[in-house]
Amino acid sequence: MRIRDLPQGLLDGGLPVQEEPSDGPVYPTVIQQARMNMRKFENCVVLTRMGGFYELYFEHAEEFGPLLNLKVATKKTTAGPVAMVIATHSSAGFPFFQLERFLKILVQDLNKYVAISEEFPNSVSEKVKSGGLLFDRKVTRVITPGTLVDEKFMDPYENNFILAMHPEPLNHESPLRASGMVEGNMSAASAKQRIGLAWLDLSTGAFFTQVTTLDVLASGIARIRAREIVLSKTINHNMKQHILALLGHEQYLVTWQPGLPRDMCITDWDPMLETPVSHTERGIFTEHEVLAGNILLEYVSDKLQGRAMKLQPPVKRHEAENMCIDRNSLRGLEILETFRDATAGGRGSLLHAIRRTVTKSGARLLRERLASPSMSLDIINHRLDLVERFLRNQPLKEDITNLLRRTFDSQRLVQKFSLGRGDADDLVSLLRTVVATEHIANVLGEARDEKHGFICTEIDTKDCLALVLKSLSLKGPNELALRISEAIDEDGLMASHREERIQSSGVITMAQEVLNEEGDEEDLQAMSQVLRSKTVAKSSSPASGDEEDLWIMRRTASSILQRLHETLDSLRAEKLSLTTRLRSEMEAQSLTLRWTPGLGHICHVKGIKDVRASLKNHGSARNGSTTKSTRTFYLSEWSVLGGRMDQVKMQMRAEEQRVFFELRELVVTNLVKLRRNAAVLDELDVACSSAVLAAEQSLVRPILNNGTIHKIIAGRHPTVKLGLEEQGRAFISNDCFVGDKQNVWLITGPNMAGKSTFLRQNALISILAQVGSFVPTEHAEIGIVDQMFSRVGSADNLFEDQSTFMVEMLETASILKHATPRSFVIMDEVGRGTTPEDGIAVAFASLHHLYHTNHCRTLFATHFHVLADMTNDWKGVGCYCTDVSESSSESFSYVHRLRHGVNRRSHALKVAKLAGIPDSAIDVAARVLSSFQEPTKFEPEEQVQRVARA
């Protein structure tokens, strides 16, 4: 054979890692299995199940043991020492019931990937092959930050998205400089390079796609807020540099998918979707979206290790359907989080200020709408109609809100069943949600038929309730709920949970010993709760020693189960008869018929009565164990009867399992209807939330149109107002009429007098209006905004080698490039990070471009008062200002009410004095300022030197 006849190229990396055969010592089988899994899942932390514990081995134990606050020890084997984390002197790892806690540390806090290796019972032949091992261990799932399903540490109020991207290759573009100034260096050609996006939430099944361009990619990623981003290693190097520079700014977790994405068309997605993509809809997805979807679905499927999933059909997002809020505006306007607290919905954010939802999924929907307000007048007005209906009918709102509180997070519940993870408790939660949904439908139906005689839009708002009712699908879910209620015994389910806690008492006791030595206060508190539950369960168990069988299904759940229960009742009657007869014959009233794991079916007598003489009358009887206070013996009658009872119980367990799987399949059958109903409940929750907010804060319904007007009377900042009220201070409202005769408002005034607040509140009012919420004004008429831009605040980016002024210029450049006549722009203090001359030039150029090129609605705040003179002949620019009111006693107060005109004093020294600048420094500053204001022939530099000499 010649060399050229051998297979050439790279070896297939998809084959499982095989250990090379060796004649030398090998690790014990369990440790060898763990080592194999560590090699196969080389980028994961492998947790191996061993009885009641999860264990870590080798370098994973050494690296993550200290991070998990677990001791690391060395176990001697014939193949050499093995590092492993220990919980006690005899057991390794951590207790199985603490898996969620350690997953949170590894996955959520450390952004690690975790492979879970579970135990599976070996068959007889497999036991022989494995050297007598009772269990085999296989990785059942790989958990990453973006592929969480039902972990308790997930944020219930935010989606857990994973995002994949597939860009067009950049062949003509040179790599960026190391400075990472992406937006500044990007050419027009590369800026419009198309990128396919696909993202999903595995916990809810939501699935989306979109085509975007490189210049607005950062804003799209900020809106999605993906926990994990998947990229193919095969993308063009130059494009990789562009994307990494964008992602590195926000420190996203990036996962590299090896190899090319599978060559799948959109029809290949059908097995992973609850319903196939229709033939008419297939054409709307571009090639780049499909490739991004292929990368995403292949990655998620691999992490689920072959487990089937049922996602919602992909929803294509169009940029023209929603207001685009760029990354800087999301952060600067503090829409989802504040500068101080990066937690979504944190105190001080717009989301925190307006959220009155009572369900977790409703809160997620509100967050989604805030990040992507609608641009459709029909959709917005439908949402406003619902809010107005609930606002005018308080009993209806209260009834709906109370019913919503009875529901559970059905979006995530249903998805658990589609992944084969739902349990009996989830079925009960789903039952209660379906029942509450039916009650909600009845309440809405009664309200729809009432005559209120008021008109909100061109049609009566009761039509909005008809649309909601039309969206509900009750027949299938109601049948499912009836089947669940007929099958599951909730009392038995609760008793079963208590019994499970009792059975785990051995592991709990071991864990308690560990936590007493090594645990922190949180661990001890969690353990004490488990121990309290165990104590209650033990005290409630029968004292007679007869175990009561626990069943989670009603005996009427199936005809087979009912027949088996009747058979078991008959056998129990035989047992009772046998017990009565034996007690009489042996004159031992304490005699009981029992089963124990060690002794099997025995007759147990409590007391010192000697029953050996009576046993002679039972030829099949033989003595068992005897103590000072008890005696046991075996009787063939009880052994045969007990065996029959055990056989029936085994059949009942199997039948219960069959019924449970039948219910789970029924849930999957109703997947589409349950998800549709869940979406309706979320919409009602958000509408009721907005109605509650409107009543609390006297909000009004905005009037929206397709024009470019922004007419606000007595507008208020939704979050600043609340903060001032908590301090006992009043908020001063202001009007704003921009976009009609004047496209630009140039705003001057003192520091701390409310210019920035005025800018932000008008941007937030527009966002709230297009979300479908009432707004904090006395009157609002707003033209639909396609893009929201804000240049506010200041911060450097030293990691990307960007000064404060450079960051400001990058944000300004993005606004000037992308703003359209339908956009809304707020700009605060452009040009302040450089010399006054340069700053004025940059500010004027920006204002000139916005006015003459972009033609957008603009609020432009500045301390460069000369801009008012430079734009004096621009008819579309209005000058407005805030002021300071001074008294004869040298005290002052801010006048936050805007007035027409220009304020040429910034009163910076007043703010400096309030901040605690020493009086001596204030005096020097006052002399310098006075010298600048005096007529002189000297240049400013000479004036400063003259003051310094004085």
Side-chain angles (χ1 to χ4, degrees):
M1 180 179 289
R2 292 170 297 181
I3 293 179
R4 65 186 182 187
D5 294 330
L6 296 174
Q8 303 296 312
L10 295 175
L11 295 176
D12 184 3
L15 295 175
V17 178
Q18 299 291 340
E19 283 289 315
E20 295 182 0
S22 174
D23 296 332
V26 296
Y27 293 110
T29 305
V30 174
I31 297 179
Q32 187 68 22
Q33 288 175 342
R35 187 184 183 191
M36 293 287 291
N37 284 331
M38 289 173 63
R39 291 191 173 187
K40 183 177 180 180
F41 302 92
E42 58 183 358
N43 64 334
C44 299
V45 182
V46 178
L47 301 180
T48 304
R49 180 71 179 262
M50 282 290 292
F53 290 84
Y54 283 99
E55 299 181 349
L56 290 89
Y57 300 98
F58 300 103
E59 60 270 22
H60 288 178
E62 295 174 341
E63 180 180 357
F64 298 104
L67 296 175
L68 300 175
N69 198 26
L70 297 172
K71 287 186 178 180
V72 181
T74 301
K75 180 177 181 179
K76 294 181 179 179
T77 70
T78 57
V82 177
M84 57 191 298
V85 296
I86 64 170
T88 69
H89 298 295
S90 59
S91 299
F94 54 84
F96 71 93
F97 53 79
Q98 286 194 315
L99 177 61
E100 290 272 350
R101 173 176 176 265
F102 288 100
L103 281 179
K104 178 184 182 299
I105 297 173
L106 291 169
V107 178
Q108 183 167 287
D109 300 341
L110 300 178
N111 277 340
K112 299 297 180 182
Y113 312 135
V114 178
I116 306 294
S117 178
E118 296 288 0
E119 293 180 333
F120 295 89
N122 276 328
S123 64
V124 176
S125 61
E126 289 170 340
K127 288 180 184 178
V128 175
K129 292 179 181 179
S130 62
L133 285 180
L134 297 177
F135 297 95
D136 187 17
R137 287 162 184 85
K138 300 176 183 177
V139 172
T140 59
R141 184 182 167 206
V142 177
I143 302 174
T144 72
T147 56
L148 303 177
V149 176
D150 59 351
E151 283 68 25
K152 295 178 182 177
F153 55 83
M154 291 177 63
D155 186 349
Y157 302 106
E158 186 172 3
N159 286 103
N160 196 82
F161 285 124
I162 179 171
L163 167 70
M165 295 187 286
H166 185 275
E168 283 182 334
L170 272 176
N171 297 320
H172 59 277
E173 198 66 22
S174 60
L176 295 179
R177 292 190 295 111
S179 64
M181 298 177 187
V182 178
E183 291 131 315
N185 286 334
M186 195 181 301
S187 68
S190 62
K192 296 305 177 184
Q193 202 78 22
R194 291 185 301 171
I195 298 178
L197 303 180
W199 66 99
L200 64 83
D201 182 350
L202 194 56
S203 69
T204 63
F207 185 16
F208 303 95
T209 70
Q210 183 179 347
V211 173
T212 187
T213 53
L214 188 59
D215 57 341
V216 295
L217 176 62
S219 299
I221 294 173
R223 183 190 73 249
I224 297 170
R225 289 174 64 93
R227 285 295 315 279
E228 185 178 358
I229 297 176
V230 183
L231 295 172
S232 173
K233 286 185 177 180
T234 61
I235 65 174
N236 179 283
H237 174 74
N238 296 334
M239 176 61 75
K240 184 186 297 184
Q241 294 296 104
H242 280 282
I243 294 177
L244 287 181
L246 288 172
L247 300 180
H249 179 72
E250 300 292 340
Q251 298 182 345
Y252 288 100
L253 173 65
V254 178
T255 300
W256 294 100
Q257 181 79 334
L260 292 168
R262 288 171 54 193
D263 187 17
M264 295 190 299
C265 61
I266 200 166
T267 55
D268 295 323
W269 298 357
D270 291 349
M272 294 173 275
L273 305 177
E274 63 182 20
T275 55
V277 179
S278 66
H279 181 75
T280 56
E281 292 180 344
R282 293 172 194 167
I284 68 174
F285 297 96
T286 66
E287 175 188 359
H288 304 294
E289 288 174 289
V290 174
L291 289 172
N294 291 345
I295 294 172
L296 181 63
L297 295 178
E298 182 179 355
Y299 178 81
V300 173
S301 298
D302 177 66
K303 301 313 169 193
L304 291 176
Q305 290 293 293
R307 182 174 297 169
M309 60 177 169
K310 290 295 181 182
L311 304 172
Q312 300 177 41
V315 177
K316 182 180 175 67
R317 289 286 179 86
H318 298 274
E319 293 182 354
E321 293 176 347
N322 299 93
M323 178 198 296
C324 177
I325 306 176
D326 75 323
R327 175 181 60 183
N328 301 319
S329 299
L330 277 173
R331 183 172 56 247
L333 296 175
E334 299 183 309
I335 295 174
L336 304 177
E337 59 191 25
T338 64
F339 285 121
R340 299 174 301 280
D341 182 8
T343 303
R347 183 178 177 82
S349 66
L350 178 64
L351 177 57
H352 179 272
I354 70 169
R355 187 172 66 196
R356 300 295 186 273
T357 51
V358 296
T359 68
K360 298 169 184 176
S361 53
R364 294 197 298 269
L365 177 62
L366 179 60
R367 183 232 170 260
E368 179 186 340
R369 288 183 178 180
L370 279 176
S372 300
S374 177
M375 288 178 59
S376 168
L377 286 177
D378 291 338
I379 292 175
I380 296 171
N381 282 322
H382 170 68
R383 295 173 182 174
L384 293 172
D385 287 344
L386 275 177
V387 176
E388 182 146 0
R389 187 60 182 269
F390 289 133
L391 184 61
R392 295 200 180 197
N393 192 339
Q394 290 296 319
L396 173 63
K397 175 185 67 63
E398 292 173 2
D399 288 344
I400 297 297
T401 301
N402 290 332
L403 289 169
L404 287 171
R405 286 194 174 98
R406 301 181 192 175
T407 65
F408 292 80
D409 194 344
S410 51
Q411 290 277 15
R412 287 185 168 171
L413 277 177
V414 170
Q415 182 65 6
K416 285 174 66 175
F417 284 104
S418 74
L419 292 169
R421 294 175 61 88
D423 55 23
D425 293 292
D426 295 323
L427 286 173
V428 173
S429 298
L430 199 57
L431 161 66
R432 292 173 181 168
T433 300
V434 173
V435 171
T437 302
E438 184 178 15
H439 291 326
I440 288 173
N442 294 334
V443 171
L444 291 176
E446 293 173 0
R448 177 196 56 187
D449 298 333
E450 293 176 359
K451 300 297 183 180
H452 289 280
F454 60 86
I455 296 178
C456 295
T457 58
E458 295 180 358
I459 59 174
D460 194 327
T461 54
K462 69 181 180 182
D463 287 344
C464 66
L465 298 185
L467 291 174
V468 171
L469 283 169
K470 186 178 179 181
S471 301
L472 288 172
S473 300
L474 297 176
K475 183 178 179 181
N478 283 347
E479 293 173 354
L480 169 65
L482 179 62
R483 182 73 182 100
I484 294 174
S485 64
E486 291 175 344
I488 293 184
D489 182 356
E490 295 189 40
D491 293 334
L493 185 60
M494 294 176 63
S496 176
H497 292 327
R498 289 195 296 267
E499 182 66 20
E500 289 172 359
R501 288 194 289 268
I502 293 173
Q503 292 176 356
S504 63
S505 59
V507 177
I508 293 175
T509 302
M510 294 174 62
Q512 180 69 18
E513 295 174 359
V514 176
L515 295 179
N516 287 335
E517 296 179 4
E518 306 176 14
D520 54 25
E521 184 177 349
E522 179 184 353
D523 296 328
L524 291 171
Q525 184 177 2
M527 178 57 66
S528 64
Q529 182 178 357
V530 175
L531 289 175
R532 285 196 300 270
S533 301
K534 184 186 72 170
T535 302
V536 172
K538 279 188 171 181
S539 63
S540 61
S541 61
S544 65
D546 294 331
E547 294 184 358
E548 184 68 25
D549 296 305
L550 299 174
W551 310 102
I552 64 172
M553 297 292 174
R554 300 181 189 274
R555 60 170 55 211
T556 56
S558 74
S559 58
I560 297 176
L561 201 56
Q562 186 167 8
R563 177 175 53 80
L564 290 172
H565 270 284
E566 291 172 355
T567 303
L568 183 60
D569 290 342
S570 176
L571 293 174
R572 282 174 175 166
E574 290 185 36
K575 176 185 175 183
L576 180 60
S577 176
L578 178 60
T579 303
T580 303
R581 180 166 61 84
L582 291 175
R583 286 175 179 176
S584 175
E585 291 177 355
M586 298 183 180
E587 298 180 354
Q589 294 302 312
S590 62
L591 183 145
T592 56
L593 303 180
R594 297 184 176 185
W595 178 88
T596 65
L599 299 176
H601 294 91
I602 59 172
C603 301
H604 181 274
V605 179
K606 186 177 182 181
I608 60 174
K609 180 176 177 59
D610 190 355
V611 296
R612 283 178 293 180
S614 302
L615 291 179
K616 295 179 180 179
N617 299 326
H618 298 273
S620 61
R622 60 186 177 88
N623 281 316
S625 62
T626 302
T627 67
K628 292 182 179 180
S629 60
T630 63
R631 284 173 171 78
T632 62
F633 60 92
Y634 295 91
L635 192 65
S636 60
E637 290 181 83
W638 168 229
S639 297
V640 173
L641 177 61
R644 291 168 59 195
M645 293 179 68
D646 290 344
Q647 184 67 26
V648 172
K649 291 178 183 179
M650 187 182 302
Q651 294 174 1
M652 293 171 67
R653 301 289 181 199
E655 177 62 13
E656 280 202 341
Q657 190 77 354
R658 188 196 66 79
V659 173
F660 173 73
F661 282 124
E662 180 185 275
L663 292 174
R664 198 153 70 177
E665 290 177 3
L666 195 56
V667 172
V668 176
T669 302
N670 287 275
L671 205 59
V672 176
K673 294 179 180 179
L674 290 169
R675 280 175 168 163
R676 186 182 302 138
N677 292 349
V680 173
L681 297 185
D682 295 344
E683 183 175 6
L684 290 172
D685 191 19
V686 173
C688 289
S689 169
S690 297
V692 170
L693 183 72
E696 286 178 1
Q697 302 183 14
S698 302
L699 309 186
V700 301
R701 176 173 179 151
I703 301 171
L704 291 106
N705 54 55
N706 285 317
T708 58
I709 193 172
H710 183 84
K711 182 179 181 181
I712 303 296
I713 298 177
R716 309 181 296 275
H717 194 294
T719 60
V720 174
K721 177 180 178 293
L722 296 179
L724 291 176
E725 288 176 347
E726 290 179 358
Q727 303 172 25
R729 299 163 59 190
F731 184 90
I732 304 301
S733 59
N734 272 298
D735 302 340
C736 182
F737 309 110
V738 67
D740 187 11
K741 297 180 180 179
Q742 297 173 334
N743 281 343
V744 178
W745 272 25
L746 184 64
I747 303 167
T748 55
N751 291 289
M752 295 288 293
K755 299 190 303 297
S756 296
T757 299
F758 177 76
L759 266 60
R760 287 180 169 96
Q761 77 186 35
N762 281 282
L764 294 178
I765 287 171
S766 292
I767 291 172
L768 286 176
Q770 290 183 223
V771 163
S773 170
F774 282 29
V775 294
T777 66
E778 290 185 4
H779 176 80
E781 186 176 348
I782 300 171
I784 292 292
V785 175
D786 64 349
Q787 298 179 86
M788 179 65 66
F789 295 102
S790 75
R791 157 78 285 283
V792 295
S794 62
D796 55 26
N797 185 1
L798 298 180
F799 180 79
E800 297 289 343
D801 193 24
Q802 296 171 357
S803 67
T804 301
F805 184 69
M806 184 63 195
V807 172
E808 178 184 311
M809 290 298 96
L810 286 172
E811 295 176 0
T812 302
S814 177
I815 294 173
L816 299 184
K817 289 178 181 178
H818 298 113
T820 71
R822 298 185 67 187
S823 300
F824 194 93
V825 175
I826 63 172
M827 303 192 77
D828 191 14
E829 310 298 347
V830 174
R832 64 181 168 183
T834 184
T835 64
E837 294 81 2
D838 288 348
I840 291 172
V842 169
F844 177 78
S846 301
L847 195 59
H848 183 278
H849 197 280
L850 290 168
Y851 182 80
H852 291 284
T853 304
N854 301 108
H855 305 290
C856 55
R857 289 160 283 186
T858 303
L859 300 179
F860 197 100
T862 184
H863 286 291
F864 298 141
H865 315 125
V866 68
L867 292 179
D869 302 324
M870 299 171 72
T871 60
N872 188 44
D873 58 342
W874 296 2
K875 296 181 180 180
V877 174
C879 293
Y880 295 84
C881 65
T882 56
D883 212 337
V884 163
S885 175
E886 300 179 274
S887 66
S888 57
S889 60
E890 297 187 353
S891 64
F892 71 96
S893 62
Y894 290 110
V895 179
H896 297 286
R897 183 84 65 188
L898 255 69
R899 61 176 175 84
H900 190 273
V902 180
N903 192 328
R904 299 184 182 274
R905 295 185 61 193
S906 293
H907 299 278
L909 299 189
K910 292 183 173 62
V911 177
K913 191 170 185 178
L914 286 175
I917 299 293
D919 291 341
S920 58
I922 296 293
D923 292 340
V924 172
R927 292 199 299 272
V928 173
L929 182 62
S930 177
S931 68
F932 285 159
Q933 294 172 348
E934 293 176 0
T936 176
K937 63 181 180 179
F938 297 108
E939 294 297 323
E941 291 80 2
E942 296 178 358
Q943 296 179 33
V944 173
Q945 293 175 6
R946 184 179 63 177
V947 172
R949 289 194 297 271

